[in-house]
Amino acid sequence: MIISIRPLIILVGAALAACNNDSGESTDSPTGSTSTSTTDGTGTTDDTTTDSPTGGDSTTMPPTTGETTDGEPLTRVEKILAALDVAMYECPERIWPDVEANYRARQVLLASESENRAWVWNYQQGDGEPPRVTEGPLDTLPPEWTAFFNINQLGGALTLGISLDGTQETNEAIMMNGGVVWPDFATALIFHEGFHFLSDQNDWNVGNGSRSAPYPEPWEPRYLRAQLLRSLLAEVHGEDGLAAAAHWRERLLSEHADEMAASRRYDCTEGSAEYASLMMSALAELGCDAADEELLALAVSHLADGVFLGGDTFDSGREFYDLGVLSGLLLRRDAVPGWELKVEDGDPPADLLLADVAPAAQPDDGALQADAQAAVDARNMVVGAEIEPMLAAMQDPQFTRVVVSMNWIAGSFNVGGFYYLAEDPNQSEVFLTFSATMDPPSSVPIAIEGLTVLAGVATPCVLSGGNAIVLTVPTADIALAGNLATTTNPKVQFTDLEVELTMDDDNLSWLCPTDAGGSNGAPAPQPELELHTLRAPGHGQKAVLRPRAASRVGHGQSPE
């Protein structure tokens, strides 16, 4: 059975909550030191703690042999930490070049709310042989570190936070669906997201792109990508598949050039991260001295588990990862020199693999075409059942349009998918079944649950385009008292949010929060954001918004 585990950019699905405390108040660390947190408006918090972030002692994990420590079975945490020791500290460059120095200067925090414990791997302070581990109470840290995923400064070092509770739920879901848990999903997620954020993938020269699918979505690209994946998988298993793969890639480039150009960035970034996660998992199990043939054999043996390879899902969001895994395995098998650095420079792994392969004409597979069309038609029906009522509400005088900012998202949000309106000249962006908690500068919380919304569109408010999200709420569900608005609609809730009421050219009503400049004031500064989608279980997506690289605080440095 295929288990759908895929990365998402905004944290759709499970919550990656982050602390959005704008007060600037300090909190006492368990060591009696003072730490301060400031938010950058994206839901991540810059922490300036200078002492032990958890208040525990810094230690070096005892050496492990196989599945035991001192004759006792390893705990789940010990297994995860042992895997990080090997694949992210001892020999990460067995998998990808020029990452060791970055990994050794960064930290990973494992958080368990159920046990109120936090473990910081490769703790950059204290004594002892690295990679050091410090352990202490989780509730002494800012709340963002309880999230499913978090990336921020902690104790002056860039730190990736992962929830032990949330990832264990994923492990259990995989097993309940008949899948194989290899490795622990926490380990796989650390390897994948760590490759993105701790190895400095943000300095790659991969250009821009889009992960949004068109609505309505055509089925033909999904069929051709499925054929490409099938051919690559056949080659991985020792059959002759490269010439066929070159044929399907050639058709994609000639028949769907725009989509191929838009996906190029993510074929590089997500494909390489998933390949690295798979190979680091094999490295963690076999150790630094394992032969390359052993690493490849172990990795290939786990493709059927359904975690690192999705099968014929006809899901454009999954294809980036699967193509990266299969192409990376074959490039490694063939010992292609310098291919990793070419990926960093914007050449997708599949393009590098097939660049010199002569295509061999292939017949179409009618059954696979029918499967692809049926899957996409069904998805269009489900998506349309959300998008069409939202578009109707946007034009309905019985609804009020409320404009909010992406900057206010507290940590993460869940979505059913990212789409754009293919028949709209502006190709407006849609977040399907969007759920988030927002914390605007006025600290009036805004709760959104399962509402399909337009994003980045023009509005009559000061907040328009860019980071604007438009919520459609029945006017009957909104109470106005002067300039304070309250709604208890099941999908949108806030109390006494200060707004300015305005009308557009079609005499439709809009509420413009004064936190974002209202309807006439000067706009509040809006940092340029980028969306990162995480590996996530199920059909929803999990993602987080972060400032673009040029506007971020430097890695490994506390903010001013």
Side-chain angles (χ1 to χ4, degrees):
M1 175 177 293
I2 297 300
I3 312 297
S4 180
I5 305 279
R6 56 179 180 269
L8 304 186
I9 254 192
I10 304 188
L11 231 36
V12 182
L16 301 175
C19 179
N20 233 7
N21 176 9
D22 276 333
S23 67
E25 294 177 0
S26 65
T27 57
D28 291 334
S29 79
T31 60
S33 66
T34 299
S35 65
T36 58
S37 298
T38 59
T39 134
D40 58 13
T42 66
T44 57
T45 301
D46 296 317
D47 180 71
T48 57
T49 304
T50 55
D51 292 314
S52 171
T54 62
D57 293 329
S58 174
T59 63
T60 300
M61 287 295 290
T64 61
T65 303
E67 292 292 300
T68 65
T69 302
D70 298 330
E72 295 296 323
L74 295 181
T75 66
R76 181 186 178 215
V77 169
E78 287 174 336
K79 290 179 182 179
I80 295 169
L81 294 173
L84 303 189
D85 284 352
V86 174
M88 292 181 70
Y89 197 92
E90 293 177 19
C91 54
E93 293 186 6
R94 285 293 312 275
I95 306 305
W96 199 270
D98 302 329
V99 296
E100 180 180 285
N102 285 329
Y103 281 143
R104 289 188 174 189
R106 278 81 191 261
Q107 304 174 154
V108 174
L109 184 144
L110 304 176
S112 173
E113 282 194 276
S114 61
E115 298 180 28
N116 189 29
R117 302 301 292 170
W119 293 262
V120 179
W121 172 83
N122 198 28
Y123 183 49
Q124 294 295 297
Q125 302 177 27
D127 300 320
E129 187 71 20
R132 293 176 290 272
V133 174
T134 189
E135 177 186 352
L138 178 62
D139 61 9
T140 60
L141 293 172
E144 64 178 286
W145 296 105
T146 65
F148 187 87
F149 161 96
N150 189 48
I151 183 75
N152 217 326
Q153 299 283 335
L154 185 66
L158 188 66
T159 303
L160 171 67
I162 296 294
S163 167
L164 291 170
D165 302 317
T167 51
Q168 180 57 27
E169 290 177 5
T170 303
N171 289 336
E172 293 167 1
I174 291 171
M175 291 186 289
M176 286 181 61
N177 284 282
V180 177
V181 175
W182 182 90
D184 190 297
F185 188 70
T187 303
L189 186 62
I190 291 167
F191 290 158
H192 183 102
E193 299 302 337
F195 190 80
H196 284 309
F197 294 109
L198 303 185
S199 77
D200 277 356
Q201 194 186 58
N202 62 359
D203 66 4
W204 288 16
N205 183 31
V206 293
N208 296 320
S210 173
R211 320 177 61 124
S212 296
Y215 169 77
E217 179 183 5
W219 63 268
E220 293 86 354
R222 306 287 68 77
Y223 161 71
L224 293 175
R225 294 270 265 196
Q227 286 280 37
L228 174 57
L229 287 164
R230 281 187 168 192
S231 300
L232 294 176
L233 182 59
E235 180 72 25
V236 166
H237 286 306
E239 304 172 23
D240 292 331
L242 289 186
H247 166 81
W248 300 117
R249 172 178 169 271
E250 187 176 68
R251 282 192 58 182
L252 280 161
L253 289 169
S254 63
E255 297 173 26
H256 303 284
D258 288 346
E259 177 176 311
M260 291 293 282
S263 67
R264 188 179 189 89
R265 171 186 177 90
Y266 300 106
D267 285 338
C268 292
T269 58
E270 296 294 357
S272 60
E274 192 71 346
Y275 158 80
S277 180
L278 171 61
M279 293 305 301
M280 292 171 83
S281 299
L283 181 67
E285 179 169 322
L286 297 179
C288 295
D289 294 331
D292 225 47
E293 293 78 7
E294 295 176 290
L295 294 174
L296 282 168
L298 180 59
V300 170
S301 74
H302 282 284
L303 293 179
D305 296 352
V307 173
F308 290 102
L309 194 64
D312 291 334
T313 59
F314 308 109
D315 181 348
S316 61
R318 174 85 204 205
E319 292 164 357
F320 310 124
Y321 309 101
D322 292 353
L323 281 172
V325 164
L326 294 176
S327 301
L329 290 171
L330 293 170
L331 288 162
R332 188 181 191 97
R333 178 201 69 180
D334 295 343
V336 175
W339 70 268
E340 298 95 339
L341 297 181
K342 291 179 181 178
V343 172
E344 294 184 20
D345 205 34
D347 292 323
D351 287 11
L352 294 171
L353 176 69
L354 301 172
D356 298 322
V357 177
Q362 303 292 311
D364 277 316
D365 183 331
L368 188 64
Q369 286 178 320
D371 288 345
Q373 185 168 7
V376 173
D377 285 349
R379 190 157 59 238
N380 279 332
M381 288 186 63
V382 172
V383 172
E386 285 290 335
I387 290 180
E388 296 298 340
M390 179 272 293
L391 294 177
M394 285 291 296
Q395 302 301 319
D396 189 340
Q398 300 301 311
F399 280 76
T400 294
R401 286 133 288 276
V402 183
V403 182
V404 294
S405 174
M406 291 186 193
N407 286 328
W408 302 344
I409 295 173
S412 68
F413 61 92
N414 302 337
V415 297
F418 301 101
Y419 291 87
Y420 67 88
L421 302 179
E423 297 171 359
D424 177 357
N426 296 320
Q427 295 192 339
S428 300
E429 293 283 335
V430 176
F431 293 173
L432 201 73
T433 56
F434 171 71
S435 298
T437 298
M438 292 190 166
D439 186 11
S442 61
S443 297
V444 175
I446 302 170
I448 304 161
E449 183 62 42
L451 182 69
T452 295
V453 302
L454 285 175
V457 295
T459 79
C461 302
V462 170
L463 177 57
S464 181
N467 296 329
I469 295 175
V470 181
L471 316 176
T472 50
V473 183
T475 303
D477 291 346
I478 298 176
L480 276 175
N483 63 345
L484 299 180
T486 296
T487 175
T488 55
N489 179 274
K491 294 188 175 183
V492 180
Q493 297 189 15
F494 51 79
T495 301
D496 291 342
L497 179 67
E498 187 173 348
V499 298
E500 293 182 0
L501 174 65
T502 191
M503 311 296 282
D504 63 17
D505 292 341
D506 296 319
N507 207 35
L508 297 171
S509 59
W510 294 70
L511 292 182
C512 308
T514 57
D515 281 323
S519 60
N520 297 307
Q526 303 288 332
E528 191 177 4
L529 303 178
E530 63 183 357
L531 189 63
H532 177 73
T533 299
L534 303 179
R535 291 178 98 246
H539 298 290
Q541 296 186 357
K542 180 178 300 187
V544 64
L545 287 163
R546 306 188 70 232
R548 290 200 182 277
S551 62
R552 291 183 195 149
V553 174
H555 286 325
Q557 300 176 8
S558 296
E560 295 295 326

